[in-house]
Amino acid sequence: MPRQTTSSFPFRGLLGNIESQQQDMATGAAAIAPNPGLSAIALVIRSRDGPRFVFHYPARPSNKPPEREPRYSTELDTEPSIEEDEDDSDDSDLEENLYSSLPALGKLDLNESDGRPSKKHQKSSHAEPPIGDDHYDEKGEHVVPWEHLFEFPTADLESILTPSRAFHKKKFELSLDPLTFVTYPIHIREDGQWKKKKSKKSKKVKKESDEATGSGEGKSEGGAKNSSGDASEDGDDHGGMTMFNVVFILNLPKEEEDERIAEIYEHIIKKLNKALKHAQASSNYVWKESEMMLLMKEKAREERRPMSWLWNEILLKSTLAGAIRDVFNAVSNNDIATVRLGASPLVDLSLQIPIPAYLTRYPGSDERAMLGLLLTSANGLVNEDSSEDPTRLNKHFALLLLDDGEKIITEIQADNTELTAPLIECIRLCKPTLSFLQVAQTQNVELNSLLVLAQHLIYWRRAMAIPPLHAREMYIVSPNCDSRKLPAANTAWKKAFPLAPSLPGYLAALSAAPRPYKTFSPSKNHRPTYLDMLAWAIRGGWVTPLRTFAWILVWPEILYEVQYQLKAEALEKAKNATSSEQTSSTSAESTDESGAEKKSVNSDEPLSSEQAAENARLERLAMKLAEDAAKFAAEFEKMPKPVATLHPSTNSAPHLKALSPYIIKDPHKASHEESLYIATYGNRFTDPKIKDCWFKFCSKYFNGKEALEMICLQEGMKRKETWSILMHFQETIMICKHW
Amino acid sequence: MKNKYGIPKKLRKHFCPSFSSEEDFNGEKKDTKAFISTSKRWPAGAMIQGIFFARFLPQKGIKVIHQSPPGCIVTEPGVDKPRLFDFETMSEYIIPKQAFCNRYVTSCDPENKYRILGHPVCIKDEKYTRNEFMFNFCIVIGVEADKIPYEAVVRRLATTFTEMEIQNEFLSQEDISNSQNRRSIAALLEIIKEDLNNYNECMIPVGTSLSPFPKSMNLIIADDANTINMKLFPIYKHPPPVKAWHVPISKMKFSSIIDDTWDLTMKKVILQIDGIKDVRRIAHDADVALDLAKIAVQHLLYYDSIIMLDLFLFGNIYAPTPDVDDFLEDKEGMQDECANYVYINGPRLSNFYLCRLFTTLCTSRTIKEWLKLHMEQGFPVLNFVDVRRFVQFGVIKGLIYRVHKYAVSNTVLNGIVSARNVGVEGGEQLQRYADGCHCFDQITVEMNLADVKIMDQLRRFPKGNVEIIYR
C-alpha cells in the first residue's frame, strides 16, 4: 500500500504498523474494552452492470461469534471446568429449548439442496459455510473461492446489499441470523453528480474541508490538485456507478447488539462512507478503485489464481482495499484506525470507537469484567460548575501519560507535523503532580492551548486526565486492578524502580490501611521517586485515589435552635398581625376572603340569613385562630431556650432527645430551613476567615459529589491550610471516603 | 439449559414471571423482595405495531396478502391511515433471494423507526409454479422496542405455517379452499397481534374447523403444528458463573411453586438455600455433587429467582462506592427501604443512623472493627440493626462493595514469569492460591480453612515472601 511520507497526524507511523500495534494491545484500555464483534467489511457498488460485490476483508472471515470476557464484575479467577465447556452449549441449549416447540426448519428438509447434515443443523442455528469455500480453486466443478462470503453467494449478497435510494445517507441494518449487515449507503445525486456543483473553486475547497472535518478527524490535503477532481465531474468515467457502500458485517451477542451497532455506526461506518463519498466526488476514487479490483478478480478467475494470492495483489495495488483492511484490523482490536484514501486530493481520516480511560462505577455482578481499567469517580471532563463537557478538560486536573514520556515523544517526532513541537512541549511541561492551571501559570503558557494539546493526547490514547497527585492525599489499591498481570507488572516495576519494594509489597502496604501517601515514603528525599511510582501504578490501573466527600450534618441542637427561632418569628408576626387587625378588622377580613365573593355579595343583595351564617362562620374562624395563637404562645413559653454548646454533637439535653440529626442533601438548593441551619453553624465560627470558608465551601463542596481534595486547587489555596480549615468543620460535616 | 442433568423443562415454566402469580413473590422473604426488584427484561404491552403475511406471487412479485391493522403495510380501500413504511422499499428484505430464506431475517426501514422481524420460508416442490413457494409472516415493532422476545414468535409462525403448507397446502390453496373449514389467515393475524400485545401469549388452533371435517380434511392431524401456541418469553442474559464460595439468597418463596415433577437435585438444592450457606456448603448439606449444585444455582440465577452475594463474616471488609451518595440523597426512597429491612433487632431508629453506618465503612475496617467504632461512639449497632441484612442491602444496591483479601507470594510470581513450577518451602498447601488471583473466600471454602488458619499457614512461607493485598 503506497503511503505518503508526510502526514498531519501524529502516531500515524506507529498505528499504521499492525505488528507493533498488536504488541501495544496487551496493556492498553483497548485490550479491556469488549470485542466489537466485527466479522468482515465488504465494498458493494451498483454500476452500469448492476450491483457488484467488489471486495471484502478478511478473505475468509470467521463465522464464530467473538470471544467474550468470561469474567464478571471484578472477579479474577475463572473456573474453566464450568465455564468454557458450558458457556457455549448453555446458550445454544437454551435457544434449543426455547424454540424446542419449533424443531428447526431443517427438520422439514427445506434445504435439501444444501446437503447439510441435519444433526448439525438441529444443534445450532448457525449454518455452516459451503465446503467449497475452503478450497482455493476448482474441485470437480469450478468454484470461485471469493464468490462466497460466509454461506452466501456474493451474487446474492451484492443485490441485497445495494439498498435503494430511500436509504441514501441513512442507516441500513439487515440481519441474516446470526450476522448483521450495517451500512450507510451513498447514492449519486439525481443530477448525476456526486456532489453539488459549485461555481467557484474557492468555495469548493472550503466545502471539502468542511466535509472532511465533519467526518471525524479527516482532512483533505493538496487542494492544489483540484484539476484531477474536476475531470471526474464530467461524469463520463463513473462506469455508471450510481451507488456504493462499505458494509460492516457484525456478529454480536443478542443482548448487546443494539448498543454496539449504534456505536460502530456512529463512529466508524457513517464516517468512513462519508469520507469515501468525498473522495468519490473529488476524484472518482471509489469507482476507479472498484473497477481495478473487479478487473483483477476477473483476471484471477480466468487464471484460476488462489484466493490468498489475489487478495495479496489487491491489497498491494488498491489503497481502498488497504484502507478497508486497516479499518477492519483497528476496529477488531479496539484501536484507532488511521486511514489514507489514495484519492486526489488525499483524504486522511482517523476512526475509533471511543473507549473509556477509566470506570466511574463499580461493575455489577452481572456485568462483564473490564479488569485493569482504573476505577475512579474523578472525571476530568466534569468542570468546576459540575457540568460535563466532552470538549473541555477541567483545568484543575493533571495529565498522566499512559506510556513512557520519551517513548511517546519519539513516536510524535517520527510524524513530523505542525503539531509535533507543541505536543512535545506539552508532554515535557505537564506533570501528573501539577494541574493544567498550575502548569500554565508557572511555565507561562496559554492555558487553553495547553488544554487542547492535552485533549489531543487523550484522544490518541496517550494520556489521561487525573486529579493531580500529591503526597498528602491517600491512595488505595483499585478494586478493579488486574492481578493476573501481577507477575509481568512486577518485573516491569523492578526495572523501573530497582530500589523500591516489590510491587506486591507496595500494593500490600497501600491497601492495608489508607494513609496519606507521604507516610509510605521512607524519607523526604524519596518522595519524588515515590510519586513516580504512584503515577506508574495509577497508569496501570493498580492504584486509585481515595477521595473524601462531605455532607452537612445538622445536629439536634441546631435543629432545635432554628425551630425555636422560627417559632419566635411566627409568634412575633402573629402579634403584629393581630394588632394591625384590630385597627382595621374589616379590611383584614376582606383579604382573608376572596374579593370576588365579597363583591358578588354586595351587588346581588343575597338573603340575609345566608349573610348571617357567613358572618358567624368567619367569627368562629377568627376565634379559633386566636385560640390557636394563644395555645401556640403558651407552648412556646414552655419550650426551653436553645443553648449553644461547644460540641453540638454531644449535647444530650432532654429536649433534644426527640430530634435526630439531619443531613442536607444538596446545599446548593437548600430550603429556607436548611439555609438557616447553615447560617446557624456559620454564626458560631468566631474566626472570620473560617466563617467565610464555611459559607464558601458549603454549597460548593459539601454535597457528596465534589471531592474535598479539589478545594485547594479550585479555590487557589494551600493544601495544608485547606485541611486545617476543614478540621474546624469536623463536627458539622459527615465524611465518606471512596474512590 | 442443562438437560443432560435432568432438570425438567417444567422448572423453566414455573420460574417464568408471567406464569407465576403475584403470590409467588409474597412469601416469607417479603421484605427481601421489597428491594430486590424482579424487573428483568420483559416486553411492555402493545409492542407489535403491525403483523402481515407476504407471499411471492410468480406473476405479481412480492405481495402483502393479509395485514393487521388494516392499511399498516400496504394501502387498503377505505383505510386512510398512513402506512408504517414504504413496502416497496422493504420488500426485497421481506422475501429475499432464496439464499437468504429459511432463516431469521430482520431489517429496519429507512427512517429507522420500525423493525421488521421475519423468517422468510422457501418450500421447494415441483407442484408449485417455478417449483417453489415463498412466504413470510412478519412482525413490525418500533426500533427502540426490545426485539429479542419476538424472535421465538416469528420462528414459530414460520414453522407452523410451513408445516401446514406441507400438510395440506394451507397457504398456497388459501383462495381456492377458503371455506368454513378453517379460519382465515387474516383473522389469525389479528388474533395473534391482539393476544400477544394484550396478554403476551396466544393459543389458537388453526387447522381444525368448528364444523365436522369433510372426509378429505381427516388427513389433518390436529397436532402441535396446527395449533399456534405462542408466548413472549423474556430472554435473560446468561448468568455469571456460580462460584462455590458465593451465597445464594432467594427472591421468592420456592415452597409454593415447587412440585413433584421438579428435578431431584434442584429440589434438594433449593431446600438448602437460606441466604447464609455458600454453594459448597449447600452441595454438601444437600448431598449433591458440587458441579450439579452449581448448575442448579445458575439455573435459578438465570430466572432471577436468587441473588448471589459474598460470604458474610464479621471479619469481612466492605467499602463505599460513589453510589453511596444515592443513599444519602435518598434516591428511590432507598432509606426507608433499607430501614424496613435492617431495623429488626429493636426499635426503629432514624434513617440518619443508616447513612452514618454506610459512610463509616472503609477499606481497612472489618465489620467487627466498624461495630466497635460505633459502640465507642455510643451507638450499639447490634441492638437495632441486623448487620448481615444491612451489608446485603448495601451490596445489592451497589452502595458498598466487598474488599477481598488476596495472598501474593513473590516466589509464585517469579515462577509464573519464568514459567517454571517452583515449590515454596512451607507453602505446599496454599501455594496455588498465592498468585493474587484467589480471594480468601475461595481458600476458605475450598480448603475448609478459616481466615486465621489461612494466615497461620501463610506464615509458614519464607519471611517476606507473602504479601496480603486488600482489593
Side-chain angles (χ1 to χ4, degrees), chain A residues 6 14 91 126-127 136 146 162 205 217 361 379 418 420 489 521 561 587 659 662 731 737:
Chain A
T6 56
L14 178 92
D91 274 333
H126 311 172
Y136 287 153
W146 52 86
T162 44
V205 173
E217 294 280 296
R361 287 189 65 248
N379 184 348
E418 68 270 25
T420 306
S521 137
E561 192 175 322
S587 74
L659 296 168
Y662 176 82
E731 208 175 336
K737 279 182 178 291

Side-chain angles (χ1 to χ4, degrees), chain A residues 54-268:
Chain A
V54 179
F55 179 70
H56 64 268
Y57 189 87
R60 277 180 221 88
S62 151
N63 207 2
K64 280 194 206 126
E67 269 184 35
R68 302 177 77 193
E69 169 64 56
R71 291 168 194 81
Y72 286 79
S73 189
T74 59
E75 301 267 351
L76 285 165
D77 71 298
T78 38
E79 295 192 329
S81 58
I82 284 281
E83 216 124 329
E84 271 139 52
D85 309 344
E86 298 293 324
D87 216 27
D88 248 9
S89 66
D90 276 353
D91 274 333
S92 60
D93 222 13
L94 212 61
E95 257 165 63
E96 196 179 289
N97 272 337
L98 272 166
Y99 308 141
S100 57
S101 43
L102 43 141
L105 286 164
K107 203 180 181 184
L108 300 168
D109 276 338
L110 292 168
N111 293 314
E112 281 165 316
S113 58
D114 281 9
R116 267 180 241 154
S118 60
K119 229 185 191 175
K120 189 105 202 164
H121 195 87
Q122 265 187 333
K123 193 75 199 162
S124 80
S125 53
H126 311 172
E128 301 292 306
I131 305 151
D133 209 323
D134 288 332
H135 294 246
Y136 287 153
D137 217 335
E138 55 200 317
K139 186 192 181 193
E141 265 175 88
H142 179 205
V143 178
V144 183
W146 52 86
E147 287 182 359
H148 270 88
L149 179 59
F150 300 103
E151 67 263 47
F152 307 115
T154 52
D156 290 323
L157 280 174
E158 67 192 13
S159 69
I160 207 166
L161 295 178
T162 44
S164 67
R165 185 170 287 278
F167 284 99
H168 172 56
K169 287 186 155 185
K170 299 242 167 71
K171 179 179 171 190
F172 175 81
E173 187 186 323
L174 172 75
S175 85
L176 302 170
D177 187 51
L179 302 168
T180 307
F181 297 76
V182 188
T183 176
Y184 181 82
I186 305 284
H187 280 255
I188 198 164
R189 287 168 50 86
E190 306 271 3
D191 62 10
Q193 302 298 324
W194 285 98
K195 70 169 174 199
K196 249 184 221 161
K197 224 172 184 164
K198 286 281 160 74
S199 48
K200 277 179 190 156
K201 248 187 181 174
S202 59
K203 225 175 178 181
K204 190 185 143 207
V205 173
K206 201 179 162 200
K207 168 98 203 292
E208 266 171 23
S209 57
D210 278 354
E211 203 167 307
T213 36
S215 60
E217 294 280 296
K219 250 189 200 175
S220 65
E221 275 187 14
K225 289 185 187 171
N226 263 336
S227 49
S228 63
D230 284 349
S232 74
E233 289 191 10
D234 300 341
D236 282 2
D237 54 350
H238 288 165
M241 185 169 82
T242 55
M243 74 86 59
F244 67 85
N245 62 170
V246 176
V247 185
F248 282 63
I249 304 162
L250 306 158
N251 190 346
L252 289 161
K254 287 216 160 74
E255 71 265 13
E256 49 187 72
E257 213 174 21
D258 288 354
E259 190 190 331
R260 313 297 296 286
I261 287 176
E263 255 173 22
I264 196 171
Y265 174 71
E266 273 314 314
H267 297 292
I268 311 279

Side-chain angles (χ1 to χ4, degrees), chain A residues 379-397 451 706 714:
Chain A
N379 184 348
L381 294 174
V382 174
N383 281 287
E384 265 177 275
D385 51 353
S386 66
S387 65
E388 192 170 344
D389 180 357
T391 60
R392 235 191 105 74
L393 276 173
N394 188 329
K395 61 175 184 269
H396 300 298
F397 272 58
L451 290 177
E706 200 67 41
Q714 298 194 356

Side-chain angles (χ1 to χ4, degrees), chain B residues 77-304:
Chain B
V79 183
D80 199 22
K81 273 197 300 191
R83 300 183 297 166
L84 297 179
F85 51 84
D86 181 50
F87 178 73
E88 283 63 44
T89 308
M90 302 304 294
S91 61
E92 195 184 342
Y93 316 110
I94 288 161
I95 305 230
K97 289 196 172 173
Q98 205 201 314
F100 306 118
C101 281
N102 301 332
R103 71 172 66 235
Y104 181 58
V105 174
T106 72
S107 52
C108 297
D109 76 316
E111 300 311 315
N112 206 26
K113 264 175 89 180
Y114 296 104
R115 183 171 269 134
I116 305 163
L117 316 175
H119 191 291
V121 175
C122 173
I123 303 173
K124 287 193 184 164
D125 198 308
E126 284 172 8
K127 68 186 171 191
Y128 300 120
T129 339
R130 293 201 194 179
N131 296 332
E132 59 187 23
F133 179 75
M134 289 166 98
F135 70 90
N136 195 356
F137 280 87
C138 295
I139 283 178
V140 183
I141 57 170
V143 160
E144 304 294 329
D146 182 10
K147 60 181 190 259
I148 294 176
Y150 295 96
E151 178 172 344
V153 170
V154 169
R155 286 181 186 269
R156 173 76 213 196
L157 281 171
T159 30
T160 307
F161 285 104
T162 307
E163 191 82 44
M164 288 169 60
E165 172 61 24
I166 290 171
Q167 279 189 29
N168 68 332
E169 302 182 334
F170 186 86
L171 301 175
S172 55
Q173 299 300 312
E174 193 195 3
D175 316 318
I176 302 151
S177 65
N178 199 1
S179 58
Q180 73 284 4
N181 286 334
R182 46 196 199 170
R183 297 184 184 214
S184 82
I185 293 168
L188 278 175
L189 289 179
E190 169 79 22
I191 297 169
I192 291 168
K193 187 194 80 188
E194 288 301 309
D195 282 6
L196 287 181
N197 271 351
N198 294 325
Y199 312 111
N200 284 340
E201 59 185 19
C202 70
M203 190 169 98
I204 310 155
V206 286
T208 51
S209 60
L210 296 172
S211 56
F213 290 135
K215 266 260 166 357
S216 64
M217 296 295 281
N218 276 347
L219 288 170
I220 303 173
I221 309 143
D223 61 9
D224 257 3
N226 320 58
T227 314
I228 302 182
N229 282 317
M230 283 186 305
K231 183 163 181 58
L232 297 181
F233 283 99
I235 309 279
Y236 299 141
K237 267 204 260 180
H238 198 75
V242 170
K243 312 281 186 193
W245 56 95
H246 281 174
V247 178
I249 299 179
S250 68
K251 291 173 72 173
M252 56 174 67
K253 196 174 168 188
F254 289 121
S255 57
S256 65
I257 48 167
I258 202 162
D259 69 40
D260 290 344
T261 63
W262 279 34
D263 173 72
L264 281 174
T265 308
M266 181 61 93
K267 281 203 277 190
K268 280 187 188 169
V269 166
I270 281 178
L271 284 177
Q272 300 297 329
I273 294 179
D274 58 0
I276 294 166
K277 287 180 191 167
D278 54 84
V279 175
R280 177 164 291 237
R281 181 74 183 277
I282 286 171
H284 176 264
D285 291 358
D287 194 19
V288 165
L290 179 63
D291 282 352
L292 298 187
K294 278 189 188 172
I295 289 162
V297 169
Q298 196 177 24
H299 209 104
L300 295 172
L301 199 56
Y302 176 83
Y303 287 101
D304 200 25

